[in-house]
Amino acid sequence: FFVNDIKDAIVINGVFSQMENAAKVRIEGVEFNGVQPITKSWSIRLNVTGQDPRNRTTDTVLARRSQVFGTAVLRYAQGGFTMEAIARGEGVRYDDSENTAKLPAMVIAGLRAAPCRTRRRTIHLRTGRSLSPIFRPTSLPKASIKPVGGSIR
């Protein structure tokens, strides 16, 4: 569950996609996601979000913000090859800040394939001194981090 209160948010008003200021905005909702293996090579990943993106000053839904959206990915990975079928859907949303013009729901689908990297290069760096427990970049002395060794594997 999430609740975001935003003061002076820049939002789309829907008229030629112009930006405008909204004094008080609240976006609250819930998000679910998960991954389920189907077989050794196949898995499915789902993400669904339900939200109420609202201009609290006018008590209207923010333009071009879906109240329900999500992504589904069917993934195949075998040996040195990975392939994904991806679908992203968005529910009905308003095209204007007055909530008079609705845009239809939509789904965008795509495919992605790539060779798997069986070996990734990793850079390991050891330091002589660690950072202060309270990290303040503006007041941190230049000598706080001293690299003393490293390796690439």
Side-chain angles (χ1 to χ4, degrees):
F1 185 75
F2 59 89
V3 176
N4 296 312
D5 286 316
I6 306 163
K7 292 182 181 178
D8 296 323
I10 305 298
V11 296
I12 297 173
N13 72 5
V15 180
F16 303 112
S17 297
Q18 293 178 339
M19 307 305 266
E20 68 182 11
N21 186 49
K24 293 180 183 178
V25 169
R26 172 174 275 186
I27 302 172
E28 60 184 339
V30 64
E31 183 172 285
F32 300 99
N33 59 48
V35 176
Q36 178 62 50
I38 301 170
T39 67
K40 186 176 179 179
S41 301
W42 291 89
S43 64
I44 189 165
R45 183 177 72 234
L46 295 171
N47 173 280
V48 177
T49 301
Q51 66 178 1
D52 183 24
R54 188 161 299 274
N55 183 331
R56 295 181 73 193
T57 306
T58 61
D59 197 33
T60 56
V61 176
L62 296 177
R64 309 232 178 130
R65 293 279 188 124
S66 296
Q67 292 180 301
V68 177
F69 58 92
T71 304
V73 178
L74 180 62
R75 178 184 167 103
Y76 173 80
Q78 181 68 36
F81 180 72
T82 300
M83 183 176 68
E84 294 180 334
I86 305 161
R88 169 133 171 97
E90 291 195 24
V92 175
R93 58 213 183 281
Y94 292 102
D95 194 31
D96 61 343
S97 56
E98 292 82 26
N99 293 172
T100 57
K102 281 189 176 181
L103 295 170
M106 67 176 183
V107 174
I108 299 170
L111 295 171
R112 178 173 50 197
C116 291
R117 288 191 210 165
T118 56
R119 184 177 170 155
R120 294 183 180 172
R121 297 237 179 247
T122 307
I123 298 174
H124 298 272
L125 181 66
R126 295 182 305 274
T127 61
R129 294 167 58 182
S130 60
L131 294 174
S132 167
I134 301 172
F135 183 70
R136 293 187 196 113
T138 55
S139 63
L140 194 64
K142 291 181 183 179
S144 292
I145 302 174
K146 293 182 180 180
V148 293
S151 63
I152 297 177
R153 295 184 204 159

